[in-house]
Amino acid sequence: MPWPVRHLCRPCHNREKARGMGKYICQKCHAIIEEQPLIFKNDPYHPDHFNCSNCGSELTAEARELKGELYCLPCHDKMGVPICGACRRPIEGRVVNAMGKQWHVEHFVCAKCEKPFLGHRHYERKGLAYCETHYNQLFGDVCYHCNRVIEGDVVSALNKAWCVSCFSCSTCNTKLTLKDKFVEIDLRPVCKHCYEHMPEELKRRLARRERDAKERKKKPALCL
């Protein structure tokens, strides 16, 4: 049985053809865009339908959109508008400067989980940025004190990782080892000497906090 014949107008015919070729349809002349399209306000166009809003030259697919106007690349660059290192579009709002580039806040993300850093610290490796969690999972420990990757021996103390040179008393900066006596205050180590010179009330409060923590660990979990 022969296939039914479909009669299409030229715009619909072009759309069907473009879909089969994986091409765009120009939203101005409705013809197939054979080369790289110019994306303007999220729609594809032939670049030569437009001229630079500053110098009047015919545009290419590299044209930049800024505040609803199109500019050729040289004119846009002279305006000093930063370009996002991820999407290559102009940044009109807040700019993130990192890794020698500029980024939209929402586009500067962890290379593993793709979550924006939003001002939180990132860790670089071979030109890519990672959050602390995934950097540790992929490449190793980060020192709690200096926030750098630990390249040598790791001191594991207070449920954290430290460089050997960074593990020191948070009060007098005396270097510590795991053989030295120290106490934890505000998640950091304090040597025995500094601890003994602290006010008695503070020491009682710290001792009470430590006893309470031990008691909580002893209590069995309730089954509900």
Side-chain angles (χ1 to χ4, degrees):
M1 182 176 179
W3 290 98
V5 177
R6 297 175 65 202
H7 297 282
L8 300 174
C9 64
R10 183 169 294 278
C12 289
H13 171 75
N14 284 341
R15 277 197 295 271
E16 291 284 328
K17 185 178 179 181
R19 189 177 296 116
M21 297 169 61
K23 300 283 188 179
Y24 288 98
I25 288 290
C26 176
Q27 297 303 299
K28 186 169 185 177
C29 68
H30 304 294
I32 296 174
I33 304 173
E34 298 290 348
E35 305 297 332
Q36 186 73 14
L38 169 59
I39 305 299
F40 180 45
K41 297 182 178 179
N42 296 319
D43 287 325
Y45 295 91
H46 286 108
D48 56 13
H49 288 316
F50 298 92
N51 295 88
C52 174
S53 296
N54 184 55
C55 70
S57 63
E58 188 176 284
L59 293 178
T60 68
E62 293 184 334
R64 304 294 189 202
E65 178 184 349
L66 180 64
K67 297 181 179 179
E69 300 289 343
L70 286 170
Y71 298 88
C72 65
L73 203 54
C75 286
H76 185 273
D77 288 346
K78 290 176 183 176
M79 298 168 72
V81 179
I83 299 296
C84 177
C87 70
R88 306 304 304 164
R89 306 295 293 173
I91 306 174
E92 298 184 32
R94 183 181 165 195
V95 179
V96 176
N97 291 286
M99 302 172 62
K101 298 180 181 178
Q102 295 171 307
W103 316 75
H104 286 109
V105 174
E106 65 273 18
H107 290 166
F108 186 52
V109 301
C110 171
K112 179 67 175 178
C113 65
E114 298 186 348
K115 292 182 179 178
F117 294 108
L118 302 177
H120 295 291
R121 184 179 176 86
H122 71 278
Y123 301 86
E124 299 176 21
R125 176 91 172 196
K126 294 183 178 179
L128 298 175
Y130 298 87
C131 64
E132 182 175 356
T133 298
H134 288 109
Y135 194 101
N136 285 340
Q137 288 179 2
L138 294 168
F139 309 115
D141 295 307
V142 174
C143 176
Y144 179 75
H145 177 74
C146 69
N147 284 323
R148 297 179 183 275
V149 180
I150 303 174
E151 298 181 356
D153 293 333
V154 178
V155 177
S156 296
L158 310 180
N159 294 319
K160 297 174 183 63
W162 313 71
C163 299
V164 172
S165 59
C166 289
F167 188 60
S168 59
C169 173
S170 60
T171 301
C172 68
N173 291 323
T174 299
K175 293 290 183 280
L176 298 173
T177 70
L178 294 180
K179 294 181 180 180
D180 297 316
K181 291 186 177 180
F182 59 87
V183 296
E184 177 185 346
I185 299 178
D186 295 330
L187 304 179
R188 295 180 180 275
V190 173
C191 69
K192 181 181 179 182
H193 177 77
C194 289
Y195 177 75
E196 289 176 347
H197 285 78
M198 288 182 173
E200 290 300 321
E201 175 58 29
L202 175 59
K203 288 193 283 188
R204 283 195 293 270
R205 193 160 63 245
L206 292 171
R208 187 163 56 248
R209 185 191 304 172
E210 185 176 353
R211 285 196 304 270
D212 292 344
K214 289 180 179 179
E215 287 298 323
R216 283 195 295 271
K217 289 181 180 179
K218 290 180 180 179
K219 289 182 180 180
L222 296 177
C223 297
L224 300 178

